[in-house]
Amino acid sequence: MVAGPGKRRLEIELIEDRARRHTTFTKRRQGLIKKTKVFANKFDAQAAVIAFSGAGNLFAFGSPSVESVVRRYLDTASGGGGAEEEEERPQTPEERIGAALEKGSWDAVVEGLGPLEIDELSTEIMKLRRVVAARVSEMEARD
């Protein structure tokens, strides 16, 4: 069926040849995960993809993590809304740094962060280190 100039509409059907089906599954899975990463990063969205192969193997990707996206979905679907949990977790790098300093631990602060969030937090920590070093130098110069 021709849908327009240069476009063809393909019927969705099971690929009978096992080797071809496996190859196509692998390529499409990789493409789907790549699109999900781009979507999550470009729109600062939380997204997850979960797929099981014909052999029963699990493939999953989530930003910031599959668990956090699924947990948020389940909270929202069950009427929890997920808003309370969202408000408790520090959102900006500055808030995360403050939370880490209050708790005395970075573990809870960085848990569930995606690559972009980790980079952003790392940049803010480096800025903070420079500010602290400058302040220490100032104080030493006064003494």
Side-chain angles (χ1 to χ4, degrees):
M1 297 171 82
V2 176
K7 290 189 176 187
R8 293 185 322 173
R9 183 178 209 143
L10 298 175
E11 294 297 323
I12 298 175
E13 57 189 35
L14 178 66
I15 299 172
E16 297 297 331
D17 180 68
R18 285 177 54 95
R20 191 168 147 242
R21 182 171 56 235
H22 174 73
T23 301
T24 303
F25 174 82
T26 300
K27 289 179 179 179
R28 293 284 178 106
R29 172 180 45 91
Q30 291 169 345
L32 182 59
I33 289 172
K34 184 177 179 181
K35 291 278 189 187
T36 304
K37 286 178 185 177
V38 169
F39 176 82
N41 291 334
K42 193 171 190 175
F43 301 107
D44 192 28
Q46 293 184 1
V49 174
I50 302 170
F52 288 92
S53 69
N57 296 322
L58 170 66
F59 299 94
F61 167 79
S63 177
S65 70
V66 173
E67 293 81 13
S68 66
V69 174
V70 170
R71 191 176 316 113
R72 185 171 180 190
Y73 168 76
L74 292 174
D75 288 347
T76 303
S78 67
E84 291 175 19
E85 183 179 332
E86 192 70 29
E87 289 174 16
E88 290 176 19
R89 183 174 176 208
Q91 293 302 308
T92 66
E94 293 84 1
E95 290 173 338
R96 289 188 178 114
I97 291 169
L101 293 172
E102 285 175 16
K103 293 179 182 178
S105 170
W106 289 96
D107 295 338
V109 177
V110 297
E111 185 179 322
L113 295 181
L116 287 180
E117 293 168 312
I118 296 263
D119 286 343
E120 188 179 346
L121 183 59
S122 177
T123 300
E124 291 300 320
I125 290 169
M126 292 301 167
K127 287 179 188 176
L128 181 60
R129 288 183 73 185
R130 286 191 294 270
V131 168
V132 169
R135 181 71 177 129
V136 167
S137 295
E138 243 179 62
M139 292 173 70
E140 288 174 345
R142 289 184 195 168
D143 292 338

